[in-house]
Amino acid sequence: MLPRFDLEKDAASARIVVAMSGGVDSSVVAALAARTGAEVIGVTLQLYDHGEAVKRSGSCCAGQDIYDAKTVCDRLGIAHYVLDYESRFRTGVIDKFVHEYAEGRTPVPCSLCNQGVKFTDLIGFARELGADCLATGHYVRRVVNGDRVEMWKGRDPARDQSYFLYGTTRDQLEYLRFPLGNLPKSEVRGLAVEEGLVVADKPDSQDICFVPDGDYAGLVKRLRPETAAPGDIVDMQGRVLGGHQGVVHFTIGQRRGIEIGGQPEPLYVVRIEPEQRRLVVGPRRALAVAAAHVERINWLAEDQQVVEAKVRSLARPVPSRWDGKRLTFESPEYGVAPGQSAVFYEGDRLLGGGTITATETASMDKAAAA
């Protein structure tokens, strides 16, 4: 059974705008929308200046991707618009990412992008076009439960993208459609082959779209050169163990690159102090976190005290308690850092989430027991 768009009118009189990144997922969404008989308009965001975009590969919304999106639209016989959002993307996503990284935090730029240019601005444009909805290729489910619209995890756990969409507002969710939420990737590629789309075998984008080579440090150093200044590596008692070539090369929980021998246990980055150009390192148990302070909360569902919290995109949700400011984990959690998103679930249903601003270390005894 093909995905539905849940239009509130007859498809023949409806208009669907599809956010097209140039990849296989959004291209299949456009093809499925066209099959409904509705008027379909593809919209692609140009997020880099032209000279920079045409040289990029392995990202999204780059030069080749714009061309691929247009080719797909031509194949489907639908209109295609390209919106120049380079300036908005730079100030709303890249600059914020660099600032957070330079301050020793671990930002989640995909969440920033979805909350800004990809949803807020695109929905505004779609409404200007008189569209009945904006459809995207995200792997999440939009579930109508009585008079309430909910967001659920994608049916395929390996593809679920709900972690990055916690900032979606209730009004936005009313307008958005996610037709791929019940499908595995293999079936999506099969639909692309069936439609004869040139992107059927196109690889998925990797890493952060504006850092397709994965060199986050290179980007940050270019925009914030002071982050490349050398400094001390100290233990948790403040004793100098060695040196580093810039805090930009490290994130909390990182082990690689510390390069200090003669220690009884492997060392991990426990804290980053950018103003002092200092890394604080310790054993893995020093990374255990008992609680996190979370701000800028967005609730898609009702506010709840008992939740399952996910603090990294690839982590599993863990039992936690929320008191309005503080998220307490049932057991010590590892890999938790300021800047990350804490996203709340009830089973497959996404409740909401926010940004971690501080963490509380678990006692060494509890960490050892866990």
Side-chain angles (χ1 to χ4, degrees):
M1 182 177 177
L2 287 176
R4 297 171 54 188
F5 283 80
D6 295 323
L7 300 171
E8 296 180 357
K9 61 169 70 172
D10 183 71
S13 60
R15 176 176 294 166
I16 301 172
V17 167
V18 179
M20 300 186 67
S21 67
V24 63
D25 298 325
S26 57
S27 297
V28 167
V29 170
L32 293 173
R35 287 187 185 186
T36 68
E39 178 189 0
V40 181
I41 300 172
V43 178
T44 302
L45 304 180
Q46 179 179 310
L47 301 181
Y48 317 99
D49 64 67
H50 180 70
E52 183 78 6
V54 293
K55 295 182 288 184
R56 289 178 178 265
S57 62
S59 61
C60 70
C61 306
Q64 181 62 45
D65 301 303
I66 294 171
Y67 176 80
D68 289 343
K70 180 182 184 305
T71 302
V72 168
C73 288
D74 289 344
R75 165 78 180 177
L76 299 173
I78 64 176
H80 180 240
Y81 293 108
V82 179
L83 305 182
D84 182 0
Y85 276 24
E86 187 269 335
S87 177
R88 298 188 201 191
F89 186 72
R90 185 181 64 248
T91 58
V93 180
I94 296 178
D95 288 350
K96 288 182 178 179
F97 171 83
V98 169
H99 173 75
E100 289 291 288
Y101 213 97
E103 293 297 312
R105 293 186 281 270
T106 307
V108 185
C110 294
S111 296
L112 284 174
C113 187
N114 288 324
Q115 292 171 36
V117 295
K118 282 196 177 171
F119 278 1
T120 303
D121 293 344
L122 260 181
I123 285 176
F125 182 74
R127 290 189 186 279
E128 287 179 11
L129 293 178
D132 295 282
C133 65
L134 171 68
T136 82
H138 289 99
Y139 286 84
V140 294
R141 288 176 285 166
R142 179 183 181 274
V143 176
V144 179
N145 184 3
D147 59 354
R148 182 175 65 190
V149 181
E150 301 171 344
M151 185 183 293
W152 287 44
K153 296 177 185 176
R155 183 81 67 181
D156 182 352
R159 303 300 305 178
D160 171 51
Q161 293 173 300
S162 60
Y163 178 81
F164 302 108
L165 300 182
Y166 77 86
T168 306
T169 67
R170 295 177 185 180
D171 286 344
Q172 289 172 341
L173 190 56
E174 291 278 353
Y175 192 68
L176 289 163
R177 300 294 186 274
F178 307 108
L180 304 187
N182 281 300
L183 301 181
K185 184 74 175 204
S186 58
E187 189 168 339
V188 171
R189 289 202 181 275
L191 288 168
V193 171
E194 186 179 309
E195 289 286 345
L197 305 182
V198 296
V199 296
D201 296 323
K202 186 174 181 177
D204 293 336
S205 59
Q206 301 295 323
D207 294 305
I208 297 172
C209 69
F210 55 88
V211 196
D213 59 0
D215 184 13
Y216 314 135
L219 171 69
V220 178
K221 283 193 292 186
R222 188 166 72 249
L223 299 180
R224 294 284 295 272
E226 72 275 14
T227 61
D232 291 333
I233 299 177
V234 304
D235 65 16
M236 298 182 67
Q237 288 71 44
R239 293 186 294 260
V240 176
L241 302 178
H244 63 79
Q245 296 303 309
V247 294
V248 68
H249 298 289
F250 299 90
T251 56
I252 290 175
Q254 182 173 327
R255 178 181 173 189
R256 189 177 64 181
I258 296 176
E259 298 178 354
I260 294 175
Q263 301 298 310
E265 299 178 70
L267 297 176
Y268 298 80
V269 177
V270 175
R271 190 167 66 252
I272 299 173
E273 300 175 348
E275 290 186 3
Q276 291 78 28
R277 305 197 303 273
R278 187 163 55 210
L279 296 178
V280 180
V281 299
R284 184 178 183 275
R285 62 183 177 277
L287 292 170
V289 168
H293 295 252
V294 186
E295 298 181 1
R296 299 187 290 279
I297 295 287
N298 175 66
W299 287 105
L300 261 175
E302 65 280 1
D303 188 338
Q304 293 195 23
Q305 290 186 323
V306 178
V307 299
E308 295 173 286
K310 186 173 182 175
V311 295
R312 298 179 310 283
S313 62
L314 298 179
R316 59 181 178 82
V318 295
S320 310
R321 182 168 290 276
W322 170 249
D323 68 4
K325 290 185 178 179
R326 188 168 174 268
L327 179 69
T328 304
F329 304 111
E330 186 174 282
S331 300
E333 185 72 3
Y334 291 81
V336 187
Q340 291 174 327
S341 299
V343 181
F344 308 149
Y345 294 90
E346 181 185 61
D348 281 352
R349 184 165 67 114
L350 189 150
L351 303 175
T355 302
I356 297 171
T357 57
T359 59
E360 297 177 16
T361 304
S363 72
M364 291 289 193
D365 291 341
K366 286 186 177 180

